[in-house]
Amino acid sequence: MTHVDERADKAGETGQGSTPERQLWTAGNGRSRRRTVTYADAGVSIHAGEKAVELLRTKVHRTHRPEVMGDIGGFAGLFRLDLKKYKSPILASSTDGVGTKLAIAQAMGIHDTVGIDLVAMVVDDLVACGAEPLFLLDYIACGEVVPDRVAEIGAGIADGCRYAGCALLGGETAEHPGVMRPDEYDISGTGVGVVEEDKILGRDRVEVGDVVIALRSTGLHSNGYSLVRHVLLGAGRMRLDSVIDEFGSQRTLGEELLTPTRIYAKDCLDLITESEVHAYAHVTGGGIPGNLVRVLPEHVDAVVDRSTWRPQPIFELVRTKGRIDDMEMESTFNMGVGMLTVVSAEDADRTLAFLAGRGLDAWQVGEVIEGTGQVQMVGSHTRG
């Protein structure tokens, strides 16, 4: 909020001991009538930023949880943590961005989905350790604050927070003229969650005989877009408005590339109460092998059978257009799996039934065996 201060007008002092005349400070005070250079002349509009915040107010309010204190516009977001709910609470934090998927959104002029991607990248990392996402803070940097565009971005972030059950507690919008183009922006977010100390998920719980279950992604999610843009839009010379028959329903390439990342947080948290979940692996950069290995102790391996699923057509399009080998594809993209959960063998059927009841496409993709902390990718995907 713009602060209005008061200053003594030295020119109005009448003599020693007299009380100087006090005036509200404005940019026009002073003797000179020459027009001074303003912040707006440098490309920064405080008014536009304030308008963007006002446009977002209703959306932000819809994300509020009972623990949120105060209202939008303060210097800091306040969140009252109810310590009576926990015996030994551990705070978890995660920060991330959306990456060069933003270049697709900017090229298409569609800005209300990348905020969902941002939230997904943050909260699904939090839930991987069993933490409930409590709140998220966002940061939007742009070359020019266009209130409607900032509001669209923020609306997507707010929607993502509602899907995840966390509050959008605060954020910052910064205008960077001369550093970023007027139509260019970047976004990032930081989330905080909480988990009971004795319920933290991870490698300490994973055992030989456990089952690995895959949850299908909605597509590329938000990783590997620099490679995607290079092989499809660069070397491949494809257009974002091109209709791709393999995608179905007259879907364009741009629409496919902007498909929002699936947010698994609520489903994964609820699954913990129904099944014996030992670990989650959020499949982002590094793909299945690069992320599943992060939850394996040194004495086990995870065997993942590719023949149990078929990746979405977008992966085959990228692979063929770019002539990318299978190892590079698997180390860059999620290949159709957005989240992996490791559960006890006894709870495998219960887990699959629960996820199906929530409308999630899930299947047993592998198992945990004795080993040395590696991920073994076996079999081949069905293609064609």
Side-chain angles (χ1 to χ4, degrees):
M1 179 179 293
T2 302
H3 179 63
V4 178
D5 198 2
E6 291 185 340
R7 297 182 177 180
D9 184 355
K10 296 297 183 179
E13 293 183 1
T14 57
Q16 186 176 1
S18 63
T19 302
E21 180 182 357
R22 298 181 65 84
Q23 297 179 338
L24 288 178
W25 182 87
T26 69
N29 280 356
R31 294 181 178 180
S32 173
R33 293 183 177 275
R34 289 187 305 168
R35 183 182 182 278
T36 62
V37 176
T38 67
Y39 211 1
D41 291 331
V44 177
S45 172
I46 294 175
H47 173 71
E50 292 172 343
K51 183 179 179 182
V53 171
E54 195 58 37
L55 289 172
L56 276 172
R57 188 177 296 274
T58 300
K59 278 278 191 178
V60 173
H61 283 168
R62 291 175 184 167
T63 75
H64 280 188
R65 296 166 48 119
E67 303 96 329
V68 174
M69 302 172 62
D71 197 3
I72 188 172
F75 285 103
L78 302 177
F79 190 95
R80 180 188 289 110
L81 184 61
D82 184 1
L83 296 178
K84 295 179 181 179
K85 291 175 58 178
Y86 310 97
K87 294 180 181 178
S88 182
I90 301 297
L91 293 180
S93 64
S94 176
T95 189
D96 211 336
V98 177
T100 60
K101 186 173 186 174
L102 295 178
I104 307 296
Q106 291 161 21
M108 295 184 67
I110 298 174
H111 313 290
D112 60 349
T113 60
V114 290
I116 298 174
D117 293 297
L118 176 65
V119 176
M121 291 296 98
V122 173
V123 300
D124 286 339
D125 274 359
L126 291 175
V127 82
C129 70
E132 174 192 1
L134 296 176
F135 58 83
L136 182 135
L137 305 170
D138 66 60
Y139 179 78
I140 304 172
C142 52
E144 178 184 355
V145 172
V146 178
D148 288 342
R149 182 171 61 206
V150 172
E152 287 182 49
I153 299 168
I157 298 173
D159 286 342
C161 286
R162 286 194 298 106
Y163 303 154
C166 68
L168 180 53
L169 194 58
E172 174 74 6
T173 300
E175 199 164 22
H176 293 167
V179 176
M180 306 175 78
R181 299 189 309 271
D183 61 341
E184 186 179 7
Y185 59 83
D186 196 7
I187 60 177
S188 65
T190 298
V192 173
V194 63
V195 58
E196 286 282 11
E197 186 171 7
D198 62 357
K199 294 183 179 178
I200 296 174
L201 303 180
R203 58 166 52 97
D204 293 341
R205 295 175 178 261
V206 176
E207 304 171 347
V208 172
D210 283 349
V211 168
V212 183
I213 291 175
L215 284 69
R216 187 172 292 279
S217 70
T218 52
L220 292 167
H221 281 186
S222 296
N223 298 101
Y225 272 77
S226 293
L227 180 56
V228 169
R229 291 167 49 241
H230 173 70
V231 301
L232 298 186
L233 306 180
R237 297 184 179 181
M238 297 183 70
R239 292 169 52 93
L240 291 172
D241 59 0
S242 299
V243 174
I244 309 299
D245 292 338
E246 292 85 349
F247 297 161
S249 302
Q250 296 295 302
R251 190 169 172 82
T252 67
L253 175 62
E255 290 170 337
E256 175 65 29
L257 295 181
L258 281 188
T259 302
T261 304
R262 177 68 187 248
I263 295 177
Y264 302 96
K266 280 187 175 181
D267 298 311
C268 288
L269 288 174
D270 289 344
L271 178 61
I272 293 171
T273 67
E274 296 289 330
S275 299
E276 187 182 333
V277 177
H278 292 164
Y280 285 118
H282 185 200
V283 184
T284 55
I288 293 173
N291 287 282
L292 184 54
V293 73
R294 297 163 69 178
V295 299
L296 298 180
E298 293 181 355
H299 65 280
V300 307
D301 281 2
V303 180
V304 175
D305 186 356
R306 301 183 187 93
S307 69
T308 60
W309 85 98
R310 180 179 177 179
Q312 294 92 328
I314 183 63
F315 297 102
E316 183 66 8
L317 179 66
V318 172
R319 187 186 71 83
T320 55
K321 283 286 187 181
R323 300 178 182 177
I324 303 171
D325 64 39
D326 292 343
M327 185 174 294
E328 183 68 19
M329 289 292 295
E330 283 186 342
S331 65
T332 305
F333 303 108
N334 67 57
M335 298 304 295
V337 176
M339 183 74 79
L340 294 161
T341 178
V342 182
V343 303
S344 65
E346 294 78 9
D347 273 6
D349 290 341
R350 180 196 299 270
T351 298
L352 289 170
F354 175 84
L355 294 172
R358 300 294 285 258
L360 286 168
D361 185 3
W363 64 96
Q364 183 172 332
V365 74
E367 60 181 343
V368 177
I369 63 172
E370 292 184 0
T372 57
Q374 305 297 314
V375 176
Q376 301 179 27
M377 303 293 294
V378 301
S380 300
H381 296 300
T382 302
R383 289 174 177 157

